[in-house]
Amino acid sequence: SQTIHQWPATLVQPVGSPLSLECTVEGTSNPNLYWYRQAAGRGLQLLFYSVGIGQISSEVPQNLSASRPQDRQFILSSKKLLLSDSGFYLCAWSVPLGQTNEKLFFGSGTQLSVL
Amino acid sequence: AQTVTQSQPEMSVQEAETVTLSCTYDTSESDYYLFWYKQPPSRQMILVIRQEAYKQQNATENRFSVNFQKAAKSFSLKISDSQLGDAAMYFCASHGSGSRLTFGEGTQLTVNP
């Protein structure tokens, strides 16, 4: 069966420090991978998605970047964190069944607090 | 571009009763899918139900069903026989060709014993 691992679960970082959040998927190959951010009490905002190794699409300009060094590994990074980067970050994957028939499966999330 | 609107930030229901969560969307696509996701206090996102826009029949998953009104671009979720475990934030989402999944702002559902 397919599983998705996301870590760490919580992270407290000072402003200006670097960030690296990792997500890995098991039990499937060539998944679509996603990073979402959720502000407190709000909906999900898509940050990045990837349809293959080294292929990254950014949905919004920001202080963050993403990389996909391996088929089932997706990394969210920042060189210098801002206060506004605080939030709940969710990794997700899907097996594309068609351009519109895409069910997302989410990781357990990382709560990032930038102080 | 797609937009999804959930006009009810909060809803409450008595245990064993029925509740309906509203969702409207706007899309220029002719082929798209609609989803309801549930986010309990654990914050894990869980797929509740999915509707293909080309299907007239409303999707049903056990106690969860939708009322899909394509012309009105409305996609409401009905929860029957509500249980305490249904308490969560519910998100409506749409997905069209050439775009990614777009989420609404969510409705916080409280189930009262």
Side-chain angles (χ1 to χ4, degrees):
Chain A
S1 63
Q2 301 93 345
T3 56
I4 179 170
H5 302 280
Q6 184 181 345
W7 68 92
T10 59
L11 189 61
V12 180
Q13 292 285 97
V15 169
S17 64
L19 172 74
S20 180
L21 302 181
E22 188 165 343
C23 172
T24 59
V25 180
E26 296 178 356
T28 187
S29 59
N30 197 32
N32 288 350
L33 295 172
Y34 303 82
W35 278 111
Y36 282 87
R37 178 169 59 199
Q38 184 180 27
R42 302 295 300 277
L44 277 68
Q45 179 188 35
L46 178 62
L47 302 177
F48 300 96
Y49 69 92
S50 171
V51 298
I53 295 175
Q55 300 178 60
I56 308 295
S57 295
S58 175
E59 289 292 298
V60 293
Q62 59 209 312
N63 184 43
L64 303 168
S65 62
S67 62
R68 184 170 178 175
Q70 299 179 40
D71 180 43
R72 289 169 288 180
Q73 183 184 30
F74 205 24
I75 298 172
L76 183 69
S77 304
S78 174
K79 294 182 178 178
K80 290 185 177 182
L81 283 169
L82 306 172
L83 289 174
S84 57
D85 292 324
S86 294
F88 187 63
Y89 289 82
L90 283 161
C91 180
W93 73 273
S94 73
V95 176
L97 301 176
Q99 279 196 318
T100 56
N101 184 8
E102 194 170 35
K103 292 186 288 186
L104 290 187
F105 299 94
F106 288 85
S108 54
T110 297
Q111 179 63 52
L112 172 65
S113 299
V114 182
L115 305 177
Chain B
Q2 297 184 99
T3 59
V4 178
T5 302
Q6 294 178 249
S7 59
Q8 306 155 317
E10 299 177 349
M11 290 284 286
S12 63
V13 62
Q14 291 295 127
E15 194 175 4
E17 297 296 311
T18 296
V19 65
T20 299
L21 308 183
S22 301
C23 173
T24 58
Y25 62 93
D26 189 16
T27 180
S28 57
E29 306 283 352
S30 58
D31 183 20
Y32 55 92
Y33 281 72
L34 298 165
F35 304 81
W36 278 97
Y37 280 85
K38 168 185 176 181
Q39 188 179 41
S42 67
R43 306 188 81 171
Q44 178 73 48
M45 291 290 287
I46 302 166
L47 177 64
V48 175
I49 201 166
R50 180 174 65 117
Q51 173 79 42
E52 294 94 330
Y54 64 86
K55 287 189 177 179
Q56 292 184 338
Q57 185 175 7
N58 290 325
T60 299
E61 289 285 343
N62 300 314
R63 297 181 296 107
F64 298 88
S65 62
V66 299
N67 183 7
F68 175 45
Q69 302 291 326
K70 190 171 183 178
K73 294 184 178 177
S74 171
F75 182 61
S76 60
L77 175 69
K78 186 173 80 171
I79 306 174
S80 304
D81 186 26
S82 297
Q83 301 176 359
L84 295 178
D86 295 333
M89 180 75 88
Y90 286 81
F91 292 97
C92 178
S94 70
H95 188 274
S97 61
S99 66
R100 300 294 111 186
L101 204 60
T102 301
F103 287 85
E105 288 297 306
T107 297
Q108 181 67 52
L109 178 66
T110 300
V111 181
N112 300 310

